[in-house]
Amino acid sequence: MRAWHSELDMRLAVHGDDFTVLGSGCSLDKFREYVNTCTQVKFKARIGGAGKEATRILNRVVQDTKEGLEYEADQRHAEIVIRDMGLKADSKGVGTPGLPDLAVLAMQVPAGCDETKYRAMAARVNYLSQDRPDIQYAVKEVCRKMSQPDKEDWAKIKMLARYLKEYPRMVQKLEALDMPKDLEVWVDTDFAGCRRTRKSTSGGMVMLGSHLLKSWSTTQDAVALSSGEAEFYGIVEGATQGIGMRSLLADMGLQVGIKVMTDSSAAVGTVHRRGAGRVRHLEVRDMWVQDKIAKGEFSVHKVKGKEDVADILSKYMDEASLGMTLQWIVLARRRGRHDLNPGI
């Protein structure tokens, strides 16, 4: 749940019995005073101003800095996966969370591994990936075979564990900025990337200025017959995510437009016309995006392939390309551990 108090210019988000409030010092004081008159509440910490420099929110570390805030994923889950995969202190890490299937098959798979253990680790990295877009594609591939993992799947999760050993921490930097007019939704698709089903993968990021609000990596339901069709489905998914995020921001008193960014000229052409054209087998349920664009509810723009930051969410990337993309979206991989990170 989220809410916005227009008079105090204060925003609140609720998760279960935990809530986080954003506002000026004066507004927060009034909020605390009012709540204390209504019920008994334990206030954990205030970040910024006269408050603490760092605290944990849902086991994520939030650090106040001169440039803004730093938001850090819960490192404990990475450490548990590293431990459960049997990686020792002197085990070598790797610089990428995954490799193409044919390359990963050559890795040695640990003996005596059972399906229950695989599912437990897959579920854990799936939770961790909410705050780590660098592993989302690799995690998506690991989770596809949770019911019956084979040697290839064990090799994939071992590769992912070695990457987490090399980079156990992921920090998002949230620097102060002027309120942007639009959300930028970056989308990319790997056409027929699954060699077993020939289904494509859609990846995307919702950006508000330099702030990453949400990212995803999903296997498409339909089997696309061309790269343009696959990219079209990726745009539909991106538009859906953008509309949902715009509604969330509106609940908090923020009004923004939506710009969808893609590197596919064919998909841009498809969404800007009416009807399926020659691509008559397109899913009818996905054609609503053309009507929304015609009405000006959001726009779609073509970008160069090398500039599409959603690449890391649709395929395995080499270490250099992955690092450059993370730098662009102001995410930093770090070693060691923060003092406030919970232990395993």
Side-chain angles (χ1 to χ4, degrees), residues 271-325:
V271 298
H272 279 103
R273 64 171 177 250
R274 289 299 186 101
R278 295 183 180 180
V279 194
R280 297 188 179 276
H281 59 276
L282 281 177
E283 296 285 347
V284 176
R285 61 181 175 85
D286 294 323
M287 303 307 292
W288 61 269
V289 70
Q290 295 179 339
D291 185 57
K292 294 291 185 181
I293 291 175
K295 292 179 178 179
E297 294 195 23
F298 60 88
S299 57
V300 178
H301 304 267
K302 171 72 170 64
V303 297
K304 296 180 180 178
K306 293 182 179 179
E307 298 175 356
D308 195 342
V309 294
D311 263 2
I312 66 171
L313 297 159
S314 62
K315 60 182 72 71
Y316 292 119
M317 304 288 289
D318 61 82
E319 183 175 7
S321 299
L322 179 60
M324 289 178 61
T325 301

Side-chain angles (χ1 to χ4, degrees), residues 64-314:
D64 185 30
T65 69
K66 294 181 179 179
E67 293 76 23
L69 295 178
E70 290 188 351
Y71 173 90
E72 181 168 344
D74 186 353
Q75 183 180 350
R76 172 186 49 173
H77 298 291
E79 294 172 337
I80 292 175
V81 171
I82 293 168
R83 180 198 64 190
D84 290 349
M85 281 303 301
L87 298 180
K88 306 299 182 182
D90 57 349
S91 298
K92 292 183 178 179
V94 295
T96 179
L99 296 171
D101 293 341
L102 294 179
V104 81
L105 281 172
M107 296 183 63
Q108 183 180 0
V109 181
C113 294
D114 62 272
E115 295 178 355
T116 301
K117 184 177 180 180
Y118 180 93
R119 285 191 280 269
M121 289 190 293
R124 192 171 293 280
V125 293
N126 190 36
Y127 180 83
L128 178 63
S129 68
Q130 297 177 89
D131 303 312
R132 294 198 56 160
D134 57 325
I135 66 172
Q136 279 187 332
Y137 176 76
V139 168
K140 186 266 293 185
E141 290 297 294
V142 164
C143 290
R144 291 181 69 192
K145 296 291 291 294
M146 286 180 71
S147 59
Q148 291 182 316
D150 54 26
K151 289 184 177 180
E152 181 178 334
D153 301 305
W154 274 105
K156 288 179 179 179
I157 201 168
K158 183 177 181 181
M159 179 82 174
L160 177 56
R162 288 190 178 278
Y163 174 75
L164 293 175
K165 189 175 189 310
E166 183 73 11
Y167 297 111
R169 299 171 62 189
M170 174 63 70
V171 177
Q172 180 180 5
K173 299 180 180 181
L174 302 170
E175 300 177 352
L177 49 79
D178 294 330
M179 183 62 189
K181 294 182 180 179
D182 299 298
L183 288 172
E184 288 189 353
V185 184
W186 295 77
V187 298
D188 185 65
T189 300
D190 182 33
F191 171 56
C194 178
R195 59 183 177 83
R196 180 172 54 87
T197 65
R198 286 308 175 193
K199 288 186 175 181
S200 307
T201 293
S202 293
M205 297 181 181
V206 181
M207 305 287 298
L208 184 64
S210 60
H211 297 172
L212 173 64
L213 303 185
K214 185 176 183 179
S215 58
W216 65 91
S217 179
T218 58
T219 301
Q220 294 181 357
D221 293 330
V223 178
L225 301 185
S226 67
S227 60
E229 180 185 346
E231 296 280 3
F232 171 76
Y233 292 141
I235 290 176
V236 172
E237 174 67 17
T240 303
Q241 298 285 355
I243 291 173
M245 188 59 67
R246 180 175 62 185
S247 297
L248 187 152
L249 292 176
D251 289 344
M252 294 190 170
L254 303 174
Q255 303 298 325
V256 293
I258 301 174
K259 295 168 64 176
V260 180
M261 323 298 284
T262 177
D263 60 3
S264 172
S265 299
V268 172
T270 301
V271 298
H272 279 103
R273 64 171 177 250
R274 289 299 186 101
R278 295 183 180 180
V279 194
R280 297 188 179 276
H281 59 276
L282 281 177
E283 296 285 347
V284 176
R285 61 181 175 85
D286 294 323
M287 303 307 292
W288 61 269
V289 70
Q290 295 179 339
D291 185 57
K292 294 291 185 181
I293 291 175
K295 292 179 178 179
E297 294 195 23
F298 60 88
S299 57
V300 178
H301 304 267
K302 171 72 170 64
V303 297
K304 296 180 180 178
K306 293 182 179 179
E307 298 175 356
D308 195 342
V309 294
D311 263 2
I312 66 171
L313 297 159
S314 62

